[in-house]
Amino acid sequence: MPFTYTNDHQIYRLDYTAPNFTVEQLALEIDLDPVSTKVTTRFVIDAIDQNIDEYEVRLHGSNELLLATIAIDGQQLDSSEFIFDENDLLIIFTQGQHTVEIINTINPSTNTELSGIYISNGMFCSDCEPQGFRNITYFPDRPDVMTRYRVTLRADQAYPVLLSNGNLIEEGLLENNRHYAIWEDPFPKPTYLFAIVAGNLAYIEDQHIRPNGSPVQLRVYADQKDIDRCDFAMKSLKKAMKWDEERFGLICDLDFYNIVAVDDFNGGAMENKGLNLFNTSCILASPETANDDDFTFVEAVVGHEYFHNWTGNRITLRDWFNLSLKESLTVFREQEFIGTEEHPGVRRVQDVNYLRTHQFPDDQGPLSHAVRPDTLGSIENIYTTTTYEKGAEIIRLYQTILGKEGFDRGFARYIKEFDGQAVTVDDFYQAMKAENPRLFDNFMLWYSQRGTPIVKASTEYHPDKKELRLSLKQYLFDPVTKESKQPMPIPVSYALFSQDGELLLEETFTLTTHQQCLVFHNIDAEPIISLLRGFSAPVMLDYDYSFRELQTLIAYETDYFSKWEALQNLILKVIFARDMTLDQMSEIIGNAVEPLFDYAYEDPAFCAQLLTIPDEGYYLGLMEVEDIFYLRNIRQTIVRYVASRFQDRWLKLYQDFQKDDAESRAIKNIALKFITSLEEYQYLLPEQYYQSSNMTDIGSALKCAVWQDIPEKQAMLDDFYERYQHYSTLIDRWFSVQESDPNLTLDMLDKIVEHPAFTRNNPNRVRAIVGAVGKNRYALAKVGSPLYQWIANEILEIDRINSITAAKLVTPFTKVARLQEPLQSEVIEIIHTMLKAPNISNNLFDQLKRIVQ
Ligand code: ARG
Ligand code: ZN
């Protein structure tokens, strides 16, 4: 590589030292004002070791803070009595307990990074994970320092609602049209769970009754115009509370639980204690404005944030290297919750599909990192699919290896033993191991080794001995250094079927060494084996199924994932069989699809999942050098073949599934997708679009219209904008549909950037535009480096506004090593130019640097 870039912000896990002090009470007074908010911070600090003469404390700060005064035990310090280490304050205290009082100001109106206290759509709000608290005041901004908070908010009466964590203690009027509210949180918490809101907000209210009969008062706050789209979130919250009681015996510990919808938000949502803040895109839902997937998403995120109250808040993190401790466990809990709410097979398949199309490529590319990394250039950059989704699969591994009961015992022990503490993934392991001594000693390798393991399987049947031999081997290569890594415990669930589809046996075997062999006796005839049922481990399975075996498994597998996977494997086998003609390929896939038309009436939701054409990203990830044109061509030919061979059956499905429920819509819209690949049926797209009032149907028709490039496309897009311009989430969708157009050009992008609804200040809008362009693999390949350059320019512009959001837009650049020449070299050049941009943020720098080094 021509350049080496160094990062001054690199931190190392093993450098961790525990704090040598405690903070007893934290009183915050926040005088809210859009340009100059005064923050008064008072706390009592004490040395842990009472025998030392003095102790040094780092109060984290940032360049957002303007320090006015600092006093210790009532004595104002002059500047010789503390040290500024970059933006942090270092203070040396003499033995024992001291009171610290700091006054500083901040400017919420210029906080476009949306970290700390900022303004969104006229309301004050906050976002502190992981290190936003240092943009509010000077304080030890680390998760292992937990404190009780008392928060006084003062604001103009134009902001009638004043919220913070915990319980409202007092409120009242002040001079100059101002008012105040005092909130106290009974639970000690780390800074990242602190939150405030001040604004003119409407709310809906309900309650949850705990097993002991006491109520929790629940509110969802939103802008007045959005309040009629909050009911579904409220229902989801109540369901989640009940589920956590029933499944894990975990009860809400708060008397008040508030959720607030915020327009400008970096993440999806944030689990602040008793005051969850949600991106509007993850909370608002009505059938007119949200599609069925959005509904499920809202339910999942509401559940996720609520589940954090135990896994994250009551038991929190020692340091940010252990982020996965709370995120993986909470994603796992969220997945289990949705699995009981919705069709379990649909949910599992969607989760696995998501993991394989997003986390697998990430984990095999330059940004690959261990679930619990040893070093980080930016904490922000481990909010990844690896930390969340691969982490959740590792929690699932515990459950698969130990069984549900063993897992539940270990989980209960974890909760009991570590309640109120800041801990690590090792502590979670220890709790599991204490309850399940047989848990493998090398299990923690799943947290320390990055990359996706490969399991290579082969079978041999010996008719003379009536014996089946199964050999399993595992491989793991570090994705960056290419070294071979250590074997890990990999549970492989499998089943044997007879040739005509009878289930003979089902079991789980955990592969613990590099290679193991299993022998099955008394097997009368050669069976069909189905491996990795339920996706029992986050690995790539390499096993050569025959077409016939796959066809049998598609028809007879009783495990949802494996049934779906059999069809996936069949498609893969066809696509990569370079010796087949397109006609042959189409026919094989057509034969496999044929029985599914009847299955649709048996299990419409799951059948819709089977018939969903998978994301090209997954197939691209399996190609040595990406060739989207080849893929797209095959895909279109096959879709048209399957559409035309079964025209009548698709039409019948389309007509039979017109009921107003999600599973009917799922099947109906798949039928629409297939059938409108044929021109004579494309009239159905405007027809459905204009006749429906349900966003699932409207959105599906619009997407297909853009994808198929039908003559009515522009009129439909214009109509959509006209109808929904007052709903920001739908404007986002309107933009992203256009950005995913395979015929996207730079001219089209110029128009988009000039559109009045274009802005770089709102993360959702940025993702809907720049993010969606980055996902448009076809346009990237077709337009080439000018489109990469366009994205690069946008990322740099956005970086100056909001580096957290900018750094997450680099995904298309992470695939650079897989591009064809000369595009590859051109894109590398673009990345180097970005790295040299003046004032590039650390978040963005860290990502780009890892891509080219
Ligand atoms: N803890 C949040 C969650 O529920 C995510 C916070 C993301 N914030 C960020 N700055 N990346 O998953
Ligand atoms: Zn989370």
Side-chain angles (χ1 to χ4, degrees), residues 271 304-305 308 326-327 330-331 388:
E271 68 265 23
H304 180 102
E305 304 312 329
H308 266 314
K326 76 178 173 84
E327 293 307 341
T330 304
V331 171
Y388 279 66

Side-chain angles (χ1 to χ4, degrees), residues 474-541:
Q474 61 167 303
Y475 302 90
L476 177 61
F477 298 100
D478 184 278
V480 178
T481 66
K482 310 290 175 212
E483 328 162 89
S484 168
K485 309 300 284 187
Q486 294 177 59
M488 305 195 282
I490 299 179
V492 180
S493 296
Y494 57 84
L496 297 184
F497 290 88
S498 70
Q499 294 295 334
D500 40 336
E502 190 196 340
L503 178 62
L504 304 173
L505 154 165
E506 40 188 352
E507 271 163 9
T508 299
F509 170 77
T510 302
L511 177 64
T512 51
T513 57
H514 172 59
Q515 177 176 10
Q516 272 158 298
C517 192
L518 301 183
V519 184
F520 304 88
H521 302 284
N522 301 321
I523 308 283
D524 288 336
E526 175 157 19
I528 296 172
I529 194 161
S530 177
L531 289 160
L532 208 68
R533 294 177 100 208
F535 195 65
S536 57
V539 301
M540 283 189 284
L541 173 69

Side-chain angles (χ1 to χ4, degrees), residues 127 129-130 266-267 269-271 304-305 308 326-327 380 383 388 804 808:
D127 196 20
E129 185 179 350
N266 282 329
M270 182 58 214
E271 68 265 23
H304 180 102
E305 304 312 329
H308 266 314
K326 76 178 173 84
E327 293 307 341
E380 195 48 58
Y383 287 82
Y388 279 66
I804 295 174
K808 302 208 162 55

